[in-house]
Amino acid sequence: MAKRLVVVNLTIRQHILSKFLRCYINKGIQKYFFVVLLPKSIFLAYIANQHIIRIHMKKSFSNTKTLKYIFLLLFISSCGGGGSSEINSSEDIVLNINLNGLKTPSNSYENQVIEITSNITQCSFNISLNNQDTYKIHHVKTNDNKNFVFRNPLIYKESENFQLNISTITNLNCPEANKNFDLQIDRYPTQYNLIPTNTNDLKTNIYEIGDIGFGGIVINDTFSATICYPTPNDCESYENSLFGQDAHNMVSGDFNGDGYEDFAVAWALFPHTIEPDQKVNAPLNIYLNNGEGRFEEDLDIYFGGSPPEHPFAYRMVVADFNNDGMDDIFSGSMGIQYRSEDYSENFINPHPHLLLLSNKDGKLEDRSHQIEDQNQGDGQLCSFAHDASIGDPDSDGDIDIYACNILNINDGEGNFSIHEYINLDWQRENQYGNPMSSLLTDLNNDSYDDIIFWNFDNRSNWSGADEGYILLSNNSSNIENWSKISLPVGPFGFDRNKYNHAAAGDLNNDGYIDVVVAITRDLPYYEGAYIQILLNNGSGELMDVTESNFSNQPRSASHHGEGNIYLRDMNLDGNLDIVHSTRDYNSGYHGSHIAINDGMGKFESIENSKLPNKPDPGYNNYDFLMKALPINADNEACLDFISVTDAGWENNQNESSNYFFTVININCDF
């Protein structure tokens, strides 16, 4: 619209007002300018882009000199001291918006770096997608509202078309305007082409499902047997049935030294009580992070070019065992279990633990033989390692391993010898049996990592041992002289708790290490997902404060509780939060459970609705997330997850499958 100027009742010198008005017109910012001067008052109205600014001064003036000063002040403050080039007030200024650097087509969640320019240098901008209700761009960053970094929307179809909207931040120097730019997003190519049917359920205000099928396992091996598990009365016969699989244990680490969090999974194949001649070994797979939220199994990471296999590698721990600056992996062996139909034969044969050490070429090599077993290389005679923990009880700077109530001492190069006191004889003499879970951590701040372990349930017919113990150090490595302190009993009664997994960290920020334990029932088998909070009293003893610090736990009643527990800062507030990773088909809760720490060691679970559902091929009856590993997938905002589709995505009678997908944190709004 053409600019119009009206001046009425001019009582001051014409050239002052004229220059003042021409200055505003030259700025090209107003559509209307109206000035009225009255003998005894001043009324100034400025209308620009539908916004009205008024100056109304009611005061008598004895002469026009005061008025001159007022207008001169307005002139100087608004126009500056120099002259200005005049433009025709009847001409409209057209804003031209240009976009540089936009990649189209580009991949789902791919990083974009763009620059926005215009013919009015004072303009700055906002960016968004036109259909914000369904899709959004993520992790938008800018310092000047002209140069932006952001991530593409996450999609699940092969391709989606969007429009990136550029809009001005309207002010006196920049008119209101916007412009759309076409943006084509393609699905990131993964190992398995899995497109879900429940796309509307894969997003919340915090998380969105990312790459589906970037890795996983497909099983076509079969077995024929009668399996009685977990009791002699729980028997079922199978004929040419497929093994099931589970991402039973997952850990994160940096396995190629690039500074990004990778992850490893020790698969479990079920039934694990199958006869030895039908047993199928499962792989331990490592997936490397490219720093952009993508994971891929690079076979070059393995010495020999293929992942290691094991009959039943269980709890994994990650540390630099050979001091070469690269993360290594230990996984405790569950042995090879055999149970006859009538339970007349029920035993576990030893099998070596799995130890992967990085070599001089940066490849992970199976060095399991470097763990002493006193059994001619056939595995430690404790047989059944449900636990695995790492630390430095002798305070020599090398990371040692505790598993199956045997302490394995590291020589600094990844060679492990059985401790002279914490060994099989010590275990049997004290009637501890195989521990359910364990930790090595310094509870009393004396630089020696203490030993914590929880005993198995259903032991009272042969053992009088308590639920578990702390071997508390005394400023020396002489463990035989350390104090033995009983651990608090779990919620399901003496000898009825499965202390499935534990993690250690300073929960209340008092400078002392505390402990969190994931506990479930023995009967009904593994039912109940209870999280016990054990705070350090400052002397190394652990006090059960669950009732006061984490009382609201609805999953403890009926939820399959077997899984891993992690302590990570999920919302970047500096406090350790709880992630309990389980698997359940009945309770109506996600297996991936997050509890936020208030900084004082008190926890509150996030709402179930804040987590998305797992991808569904169209025929699953249970869409809640299963097990998930907290991980920094994309180096953006808060932590993300690795999760699994669980068995049966392809609905193929000749195979069973389990595929990985990412759960990307897009908001961090806990």
Side-chain angles (χ1 to χ4, degrees):
M1 182 177 294
K3 306 174 182 70
R4 295 184 294 170
L5 176 67
V6 181
V7 180
V8 182
N9 291 346
L10 295 179
T11 60
I12 64 174
R13 296 179 65 175
Q14 294 289 327
H15 73 276
I16 295 178
L17 178 60
S18 176
K19 191 166 184 176
F20 171 70
L21 298 176
R22 285 200 305 272
C23 169
Y24 272 86
I25 294 172
N26 287 341
K27 284 179 175 279
I29 60 174
Q30 80 285 359
K31 293 184 179 179
Y32 299 92
F33 195 100
F34 189 78
V35 178
V36 179
L37 299 176
L38 300 174
K40 300 268 179 139
S41 66
I42 299 173
F43 180 80
L44 174 64
Y46 165 58
I47 305 175
N49 295 328
Q50 311 304 315
H51 299 286
I52 300 176
I53 302 170
R54 290 186 173 90
I55 301 173
H56 191 194
M57 306 172 59
K58 291 186 176 180
K59 185 176 181 180
S60 296
F61 297 96
S62 59
N63 54 57
T64 60
K65 187 175 181 180
T66 303
L67 296 177
K68 293 178 185 180
Y69 288 143
I70 292 172
F71 274 90
L72 189 59
L73 179 61
L74 289 171
F75 172 72
I76 294 172
S77 63
S78 302
C79 297
S84 60
S85 60
E86 297 185 24
I87 61 174
N88 193 327
S89 63
S90 65
E91 294 178 355
D92 287 327
I93 295 180
V94 178
L95 178 63
N96 294 317
I97 300 175
N98 302 301
L99 179 60
N100 303 312
L102 184 68
K103 293 180 286 187
T104 181
S106 52
N107 288 320
S108 171
Y109 204 59
E110 186 174 348
N111 211 45
Q112 296 268 19
V113 181
I114 62 171
E115 179 190 29
I116 306 170
T117 62
S118 71
N119 57 321
I120 300 179
T121 58
Q122 297 95 330
C123 283
S124 54
F125 306 89
N126 288 320
I127 63 174
S128 64
L129 288 185
N130 273 355
N131 48 349
Q132 281 283 86
D133 292 340
T134 305
Y135 294 94
K136 293 180 174 65
I137 55 176
H138 301 303
H139 305 303
V140 179
K141 304 180 205 51
T142 182
N143 293 321
D144 58 2
N145 285 95
K146 295 180 180 180
N147 295 274
F148 291 85
V149 178
F150 67 92
R151 290 189 177 273
N152 285 337
L154 287 155
I155 69 166
Y156 310 111
K157 298 178 181 178
E158 290 299 328
S159 185
E160 296 267 12
N161 292 314
F162 302 92
Q163 285 191 322
L164 184 68
N165 180 262
I166 310 296
S167 61
T168 56
I169 300 175
T170 307
N171 54 49
L172 296 181
N173 297 313
C174 185
E176 181 179 356
N178 65 84
K179 187 175 182 180
N180 293 325
F181 294 86
D182 291 335
L183 176 60
Q184 178 183 326
I185 306 298
D186 296 332
R187 186 180 184 275
Y188 187 82
T190 55
Q191 184 177 358
Y192 304 98
N193 186 29
L194 307 175
I195 299 177
T197 60
N198 61 334
T199 56
N200 293 334
D201 300 322
L202 305 184
K203 303 178 181 186
T204 70
N205 66 315
I206 301 178
Y207 293 100
E208 291 190 15
I209 301 300
D211 293 338
I212 304 169
F214 68 80
I217 188 172
V218 178
I219 299 296
N220 50 33
D221 295 287
T222 63
F223 68 96
S224 297
T226 297
I227 305 297
C228 299
Y229 186 82
T231 75
N233 300 319
D234 301 309
C235 298
E236 190 170 352
S237 296
Y238 302 87
E239 188 69 30
N240 294 323
S241 295
L242 288 166
F243 283 92
Q245 76 294 119
D246 180 29
H248 218 62
N249 290 278
M250 292 190 286
V251 291
S252 61
D254 183 6
F255 302 117
N256 59 352
D258 62 357
Y260 301 124
E261 267 195 286
D262 313 309
F263 79 96
V265 55
W267 292 98
L269 299 185
F270 296 100
H272 58 298
T273 58
I274 199 73
E275 291 85 347
D277 61 344
Q278 295 193 63
K279 191 78 175 177
V280 176
N281 288 351
L284 189 151
N285 297 111
I286 298 168
Y287 293 88
L288 301 180
N289 185 345
N290 70 353
E292 295 293 331
R294 314 282 187 201
F295 293 86
E296 184 177 354
E297 184 180 25
D298 185 353
L299 296 180
D300 285 340
I301 195 68
Y302 309 113
F303 179 79
S306 61
E309 294 184 343
H310 196 279
F312 207 137
Y314 204 65
R315 296 288 183 216
M316 289 191 294
V317 287
V318 173
D320 181 9
F321 295 119
N322 57 359
N323 291 304
D324 65 351
M326 303 283 285
D327 277 345
D328 310 303
I329 299 174
F330 170 87
S331 183
S333 174
M334 293 271 284
I336 300 176
Q337 186 167 340
Y338 174 75
R339 292 176 179 173
S340 61
E341 291 185 29
D342 60 359
Y343 265 52
S344 61
E345 294 183 280
N346 182 13
F347 57 86
I348 298 174
N349 284 315
H351 192 86
H353 300 306
L354 182 60
L355 177 66
L356 301 179
L357 300 180
S358 57
N359 62 22
K360 59 181 179 59
D361 298 319
K363 300 178 184 292
L364 285 167
E365 184 176 353
D366 189 343
R367 306 295 290 179
S368 304
H369 65 275
Q370 293 182 198
I371 301 176
E372 181 187 14
D373 62 16
Q374 300 176 353
N375 188 33
Q376 299 179 339
D378 290 332
Q380 293 183 341
L381 292 170
C382 63
S383 303
F384 184 85
H386 191 279
D387 71 312
S389 52
I390 53 175
D392 192 12
D394 55 5
S395 194
D396 65 351
D398 304 318
I399 303 300
D400 307 311
I401 298 171
Y402 185 85
C404 201
N405 268 343
I406 291 177
L407 180 59
N408 300 278
I409 299 298
N410 189 354
D411 68 351
E413 297 181 357
N415 298 293
F416 293 87
S417 59
I418 295 176
H419 192 272
E420 60 182 9
Y421 177 68
I422 308 298
N423 52 33
L424 192 64
D425 291 336
W426 169 82
Q427 173 184 344
R428 291 174 174 172
E429 287 171 5
N430 290 279
Q431 296 184 324
Y432 295 145
N434 303 320
M436 188 77 175
S437 188
S438 66
L439 288 170
L440 298 183
T441 189
D442 188 2
L443 295 174
N444 57 357
N445 293 349
D446 67 349
S447 300
Y448 293 88
D449 281 344
D450 309 294
I451 300 174
I452 312 170
F453 62 94
W454 290 261
N455 291 307
F456 256 88
D457 57 315
N458 294 303
R459 65 187 179 279
S460 56
N461 61 336
W462 59 270
S463 172
D466 292 339
E467 297 290 90
Y469 298 97
I470 303 169
L471 299 185
L472 190 66
S473 57
N474 59 357
N475 290 289
S476 82
S477 60
N478 298 321
I479 300 178
E480 62 271 22
N481 297 325
W482 290 6
S483 301
K484 186 172 79 170
I485 303 169
S486 295
L487 287 167
V489 178
F492 305 122
F494 178 79
D495 201 26
R496 290 293 179 263
N497 301 279
K498 290 186 175 294
Y499 300 94
N500 200 55
H501 196 214
D506 187 359
L507 302 178
N508 56 357
N509 298 297
D510 66 349
Y512 292 95
I513 297 296
D514 312 298
V515 170
V516 174
V517 195
I519 308 174
T520 186
R521 290 181 176 87
D522 64 340
L523 291 173
Y525 193 61
Y526 277 106
E527 285 301 310
Y530 183 89
I531 298 173
Q532 188 181 47
I533 309 298
L534 302 177
L535 292 187
N536 195 324
N537 67 355
S539 300
E541 295 185 54
L542 297 175
M543 316 303 294
D544 188 352
V545 297
T546 311
E547 185 174 349
S548 60
N549 287 33
F550 198 7
S551 59
N552 184 20
Q553 297 193 41
R555 300 190 325 148
S556 64
S558 61
H559 185 98
H560 186 76
E562 186 177 18
N564 292 357
I565 198 160
Y566 309 91
L567 292 180
R568 300 290 299 268
D569 183 5
M570 299 301 296
N571 59 352
L572 299 184
D573 65 352
N575 305 313
L576 290 175
D577 308 304
I578 296 172
V579 176
H580 190 198
S581 174
T582 58
R583 153 182 205 178
D584 187 86
Y585 292 100
N586 300 309
S587 70
Y589 290 94
H590 292 295
S592 308
H593 169 243
I594 303 171
I596 299 298
N597 186 354
D598 69 350
M600 302 298 293
K602 295 184 177 181
F603 294 86
E604 187 72 30
S605 299
I606 72 167
E607 297 176 4
N608 207 47
S609 59
K610 290 185 178 293
L611 285 166
N613 284 353
K614 70 177 182 180
D616 188 342
Y619 47 80
N620 282 342
N621 296 320
Y622 193 86
D623 290 336
F624 291 116
L625 286 179
M626 296 294 183
K627 292 181 176 180
L629 170 74
I631 193 169
N632 189 354
D634 55 7
N635 295 298
E636 301 274 11
C638 294
L639 293 179
D640 315 289
F641 288 103
I642 302 296
S643 190
V644 286
T645 58
D646 210 58
W649 178 279
E650 295 179 336
N651 199 26
N652 189 327
Q653 298 299 314
N654 297 316
E655 66 182 26
S656 61
S657 54
N658 204 332
Y659 300 131
F660 287 117
F661 57 89
T662 53
V663 185
I664 300 295
N665 188 301
I666 46 91
N667 191 14
C668 201
D669 185 17
F670 287 95

